[in-house]
Amino acid sequence: MADIHVSFDLETLHTRPDGVILSIAAAARVDGSIVTFYSHCDIKSQLNRFISEDTLAWWKDKGDLWAKTCDACAEAPPLEQVLRDLNKWYASLGTDKDTLYPWGNGANFDIAFLEHAFDQCDTKPAWQYWTTRDLRTIKHLAKLMGGYEPVARYGVHHDARDDAITQLLEIENCMEVITDASDQRQRA
């Protein structure tokens, strides 16, 4: 029986949960190894989702990253298929004796986007709503406990897979800081 923490990262064209999703990534540590899910999403399949002019301008300012993202989205499966694939991947991570915890970077972004998209596609996410967590909150708590140092960045900023891996490492780091601080207080 294990706790498996799954970090999600999305790249989007809006900051609201009903925004167009460019890519979805997830990272988890299973049996000591990091495993990932990664897919771009076809923008044209998301007619009922929205684009923010400010977010679009921000992306266009990213040069090659924006061009590569557009190319990948043009060849990507529809959002509904990506969500089905994500659910299959997520469900494959553990056994019925394991507890999986989906993590977003913030309480109102990655998981909120995913749950909104699942709802629009008349599909349920593979997780239970009460298991969701967010990195910003645990990072704040780890800083309050003392001894927090950020992890080294993995890969490229705004590559959803690299961001998901970095966030997973940060979640593990924060949990270790909090556990160590708790152990020290119990010994005192």
Side-chain angles (χ1 to χ4, degrees):
M1 188 160 121
D3 288 345
I4 299 173
H5 300 279
V6 184
S7 171
F8 286 95
D9 190 76
L10 278 65
E11 297 302 331
T12 68
L13 286 177
H14 212 304
T15 56
R16 295 186 333 212
D18 61 353
V20 166
I21 298 172
L22 299 170
S23 59
I24 299 172
R29 189 176 301 277
V30 179
D31 297 327
S33 297
I34 294 177
V35 294
T36 62
F37 172 91
Y38 184 56
S39 182
H40 282 85
C41 304
D42 177 17
I43 294 171
K44 294 176 188 159
S45 72
Q46 302 180 56
L47 298 177
N48 54 353
R49 301 185 70 77
F50 299 93
I51 296 174
S52 157
E53 291 301 320
D54 290 342
T55 307
L56 183 59
W58 179 89
W59 269 105
K60 287 180 177 179
D61 193 41
K62 299 298 172 226
D64 285 347
L65 180 61
W66 172 241
K68 289 176 186 175
T69 299
C70 286
D71 290 345
C73 288
E75 302 295 322
L79 177 60
E80 188 170 356
Q81 180 62 51
V82 174
L83 294 173
R84 282 194 301 268
D85 293 346
L86 175 64
N87 263 351
K88 286 178 194 169
W89 176 85
Y90 187 89
S92 75
L93 292 176
T95 69
D96 32 338
K97 293 183 178 166
D98 298 321
T99 304
L100 278 69
Y101 295 97
W103 290 75
N105 192 31
N108 59 354
F109 198 81
D110 305 288
I111 301 297
F113 266 83
L114 286 169
E115 289 182 347
H116 187 279
F118 276 114
D119 187 53
Q120 277 190 327
C121 294
D122 292 322
T123 307
K124 292 186 185 263
W127 57 85
Q128 304 299 323
Y129 72 89
W130 61 83
T131 61
T132 61
R133 307 287 189 261
D134 81 279
L135 174 57
R136 287 185 185 132
T137 301
I138 196 172
K139 189 185 294 187
H140 176 75
L141 293 173
K143 288 177 182 179
L144 290 175
M145 300 299 271
Y148 169 81
E149 292 291 331
V151 299
R153 169 80 201 166
Y154 179 88
V156 177
H157 285 280
H158 306 295
D159 175 290
R161 183 184 345 215
D162 291 351
D163 289 347
I165 292 170
T166 300
Q167 289 163 195
L168 175 65
L169 297 173
E170 193 69 75
I171 291 162
E172 293 172 342
N173 176 48
C174 290
M175 292 175 77
E176 185 176 325
V177 167
I178 291 169
T179 300
D180 289 350
S182 177
D183 289 349
Q184 287 176 3
R185 285 190 176 144
Q186 286 179 358
R187 286 192 295 265

